[in-house]
Amino acid sequence: MTTSSAPAAVPSARLGTGTPRLSLNRWTFRTTPLQEFLEATTARGIDAVGLWRQDVAEVGLDALRRRVDDAGLRVSSLCRGGFLTASAAADRAAALEDNRRAIDETAALGAPTLVLVVGGVDPADKDIIGARARVAEGIAELAPYAAERGVTLSIEPLHPMFAADRAVVSTLDQALDIAEASGSPAAGVVVDTYHVWWDPYLERAIQRAAASDRLFSYQVCDWNLPLAAEPLHSRGYMGDGYIDFPSITSMVTAAGYTGDIEVEIFNEEIWATPAEEAARIIAGRFEELVLPHA
Amino acid sequence: MTTSSAPAAVPSARLGTGTPRLSLNRWTFRTTPLQEFLEATTARGIDAVGLWRQDVAEVGLDALRRRVDDAGLRVSSLCRGGFLTASAAADRAAALEDNRRAIDETAALGAPTLVLVVGGVDPADKDIIGARARVAEGIAELAPYAAERGVTLSIEPLHPMFAADRAVVSTLDQALDIAEASGSPAAGVVVDTYHVWWDPYLERAIQRAAASDRLFSYQVCDWNLPLAAEPLHSRGYMGDGYIDFPSITSMVTAAGYTGDIEVEIFNEEIWATPAEEAARIIAGRFEELVLPHA
């Protein structure tokens, strides 16, 4: 099945024969300079990248769009907006304004969707129920703005171990509740295996997302143990951890998802690996564990 | 509200005036010798303790019962059975037999319930869906055995960060699905704030547990950040982390729960604290954050 067995030492500009559906997320290669990352992607015959607002900040919006176009790539998503849980009204207003800029950037990059990490519990009130309500309110306000610009908002349920400090949205069903309550078709969800693989109601929720046309993105990486000191960095190459990729990918496929599949891995060891080598491993694992079920 | 302001240095045998509903879990004091733990509990006027099978192994079942009786204490729960997810049939049969012994011990100690940690994903198949089915099958087999001996089984949903290696039951709703499917009134759930505080459907699930008479135990401790190197040990004194104890305790109370409330904290710092001092802090936090809502 795998076609990525070319030795890493091959000095060709074209190292792979191409992997359909695969998109490389920028953060998987955060230690690689941007241009080198784009070139490693095209060298492997991969069509799309997931970018971050840090990339926009680094080279400027127009220059970033130009570089992506020049490389012949598409942008599958922009990461990230969100952080809507502050209890102080002024902080929420500032967050909304920042999210509008993120939506503008998404549209300018030609990316279909902006990924939202909604924010954690405000230590000032420890009120997770109130924080969730503020998220719902914020997304209902932002979704029409996104729709006018032709992009969608992908609410990302984060693993519940991040509920305190990063995202009070912890399950796909909860994200869908918020998306539907917005009343806008521009609000939907991203399924990231690292965050949702444990969910006993995952298949039902994926079907629900698809039935309401709100399944906007699918991201893959594995769940490695022991947890890294920074738990965000326990993400691993598909196959190195506990996640059953054929099973979850089949759920996403059965729900009718035909879009890009982003590989997003935060992992100190991978960040220390040369980009071409990491891209080769990723393409191989993708072709073995994900693509046959996509 | 608090009555536990007695200085730790008071040399009296009776350091507290008693705290209704409070039970001290043995593992909160795992570094304290058993007899000293029992004495620290009675010295503070606390009526109940949660024990572990390690205590049974250490002093023997009859001797343990005698020590508890001599101290005038009740046993609010025994921890733990479970670990029913092995893919090999022989391993599952051995686990069932071990669970029967745990049920016998629970009955012999006069404890109302045995806490079950159901087990993680079997690395041999990475099949979380299959593992869940094996748990349901095992609990359906064990529940009648428990009922005959007058005890209940409290399925413990563990935080999803333990889904890979400790418990494929991650939410209260999922635990209730399994309890109900057993067909036995002896199968139910324990609500442990550390494991379920993040759940967006928590209130509904607590009501559901109560409506079917399956809410058997309530355990409290806080969610501390940053996560400890061993994430099990990020549990903290109530008030030190992110959990809203008045909110969750009110849900449990509204659902009609009137039983013991166990404080179960795994925390290296607390294990290094003298038992009397830790018990004093726990009673104070309990009286401030939990008891007024219980």
Side-chain angles (χ1 to χ4, degrees):
Chain A
M1 187 61 68
T2 173
T3 59
S4 63
S5 51
V10 169
S12 157
R14 181 85 176 187
L15 298 171
T17 57
T19 304
R21 309 291 299 280
L22 176 57
S23 171
L24 296 184
N25 187 282
R26 170 74 178 123
W27 224 246
T28 310
F29 299 85
R30 68 178 286 191
T31 52
T32 304
L34 177 66
Q35 193 58 33
E36 195 182 318
F37 161 65
L38 298 175
E39 286 165 9
T41 304
T42 52
R44 194 145 282 286
I46 294 166
D47 296 330
V49 288
L51 296 180
W52 284 58
R53 295 190 74 196
Q54 284 85 334
D55 302 315
V56 176
E58 184 188 332
V59 300
L61 188 56
D62 293 343
L64 182 60
R65 174 68 194 251
R66 208 157 41 236
R67 288 202 199 191
V68 169
D69 287 348
D70 289 351
L73 293 166
R74 287 178 295 103
V75 181
S76 49
S77 74
L78 183 66
C79 199
R80 59 194 186 185
F83 297 97
L84 298 163
T85 52
S87 58
D91 292 342
R92 286 206 303 287
L96 287 172
E97 193 46 36
D98 188 55
N99 273 278
R100 290 188 193 96
R101 295 296 74 75
I103 291 167
D104 295 341
E105 292 166 13
T106 307
L109 290 168
T113 196
L114 173 68
V115 174
L116 303 185
V117 172
V118 303
V121 172
D122 189 332
D125 63 9
K126 297 191 187 183
D127 178 10
I128 193 170
I129 295 172
R132 290 175 191 139
R134 297 193 283 267
V135 169
E137 195 181 328
I139 288 173
E141 181 160 343
L142 292 169
Y145 185 92
E148 284 166 21
R149 280 143 194 87
V151 302
T152 60
L153 302 178
S154 292
I155 305 168
E156 181 157 23
L158 253 56
H159 193 285
M161 72 180 167
F162 303 117
D165 56 348
R166 284 197 175 81
V168 296
V169 172
S170 307
T171 73
L172 201 54
D173 271 314
Q174 183 193 8
L176 286 165
D177 289 347
I178 292 170
E180 291 171 3
S182 77
S184 166
V189 299
V190 46
V191 172
D192 179 319
T193 54
Y194 187 74
H195 294 304
V196 303
W197 75 278
W198 58 270
D199 185 348
Y201 306 110
L202 182 61
E203 183 166 22
R204 188 185 70 187
I206 288 173
Q207 290 167 349
R208 177 183 164 198
S212 60
D213 289 325
R214 296 185 194 273
L215 181 45
F216 294 152
S217 175
Y218 179 39
Q219 299 181 330
V220 293
C221 77
D222 216 329
W223 172 271
N224 284 3
L225 287 184
L227 280 181
E230 166 49 80
L232 272 176
H233 299 175
S234 259
R235 301 170 72 107
Y237 290 126
M238 296 79 76
D240 280 2
Y242 288 82
I243 295 179
D244 186 344
F245 290 96
S247 170
I248 297 180
T249 303
S250 296
M251 294 176 196
V252 169
T253 301
Y257 182 79
T258 58
D260 294 308
I261 302 175
E262 272 184 36
V263 174
E264 186 185 47
I265 313 179
F266 311 156
N267 181 304
E268 305 280 352
E269 219 170 291
I270 296 174
W271 287 330
T273 304
E276 274 183 7
E277 168 72 1
R280 184 185 67 78
I281 295 169
I282 287 168
R285 299 292 181 88
F286 186 88
E287 288 167 15
E288 179 194 345
L289 293 169
V290 179
L291 190 57
H293 312 277
Chain B
M1 187 63 68
T2 172
T3 58
S4 63
S5 50
V10 168
S12 156
R14 181 88 177 187
L15 298 170
T17 57
T19 304
R21 308 291 297 280
L22 175 58
S23 170
L24 296 185
N25 187 282
R26 169 76 178 120
W27 223 245
T28 310
F29 299 86
R30 68 179 287 191
T31 51
T32 304
L34 177 65
Q35 192 58 34
E36 195 181 319
F37 161 65
L38 297 176
E39 285 164 10
T41 303
T42 52
R44 194 145 282 288
I46 294 167
D47 296 330
V49 288
L51 295 180
W52 284 58
R53 294 190 74 197
Q54 284 84 335
D55 302 315
V56 176
E58 185 190 330
V59 300
L61 188 56
D62 293 344
L64 182 60
R65 173 69 195 250
R66 208 159 39 236
R67 289 202 199 191
V68 170
D69 287 348
D70 288 351
L73 293 166
R74 287 177 296 103
V75 181
S76 49
S77 75
L78 183 67
C79 198
R80 59 195 187 187
F83 297 97
L84 297 163
T85 53
S87 58
D91 292 342
R92 286 206 303 287
L96 287 172
E97 193 46 36
D98 188 55
N99 274 278
R100 290 188 194 97
R101 294 297 74 74
I103 291 167
D104 295 342
E105 291 166 14
T106 307
L109 291 169
T113 196
L114 173 68
V115 173
L116 303 184
V117 172
V118 303
V121 172
D122 189 332
D125 63 9
K126 296 190 186 183
D127 177 10
I128 193 170
I129 295 172
R132 291 174 191 141
R134 297 192 284 267
V135 168
E137 196 182 326
I139 288 173
E141 182 160 343
L142 292 169
Y145 185 91
E148 284 166 19
R149 279 145 194 85
V151 302
T152 60
L153 302 177
S154 291
I155 305 168
E156 181 156 24
L158 253 56
H159 193 285
M161 73 179 167
F162 302 117
D165 57 346
R166 284 199 175 80
V168 296
V169 172
S170 307
T171 72
L172 201 54
D173 271 314
Q174 183 192 7
L176 286 166
D177 289 348
I178 293 170
E180 290 170 4
S182 77
S184 167
V189 298
V190 46
V191 172
D192 179 318
T193 55
Y194 187 74
H195 293 305
V196 304
W197 75 277
W198 57 271
D199 185 347
Y201 306 110
L202 183 61
E203 183 165 22
R204 187 185 72 186
I206 288 173
Q207 290 166 349
R208 178 183 164 198
S212 60
D213 290 325
R214 296 184 194 275
L215 181 44
F216 294 152
S217 175
Y218 179 39
Q219 300 181 329
V220 293
C221 75
D222 216 328
W223 172 271
N224 284 3
L225 286 184
L227 280 180
E230 166 50 80
L232 273 177
H233 299 175
S234 258
R235 302 170 71 108
Y237 290 126
M238 295 80 75
D240 280 1
Y242 288 81
I243 295 179
D244 186 345
F245 290 96
S247 169
I248 297 181
T249 303
S250 296
M251 294 176 197
V252 169
T253 301
Y257 182 78
T258 57
D260 294 309
I261 302 174
E262 273 185 33
V263 174
E264 185 185 48
I265 313 179
F266 311 157
N267 181 304
E268 305 281 351
E269 218 171 292
I270 296 175
W271 287 330
T273 303
E276 275 184 7
E277 168 72 1
R280 183 185 67 77
I281 295 169
I282 287 169
R285 299 293 181 88
F286 186 88
E287 288 167 16
E288 178 193 346
L289 293 168
V290 179
L291 190 56
H293 311 276

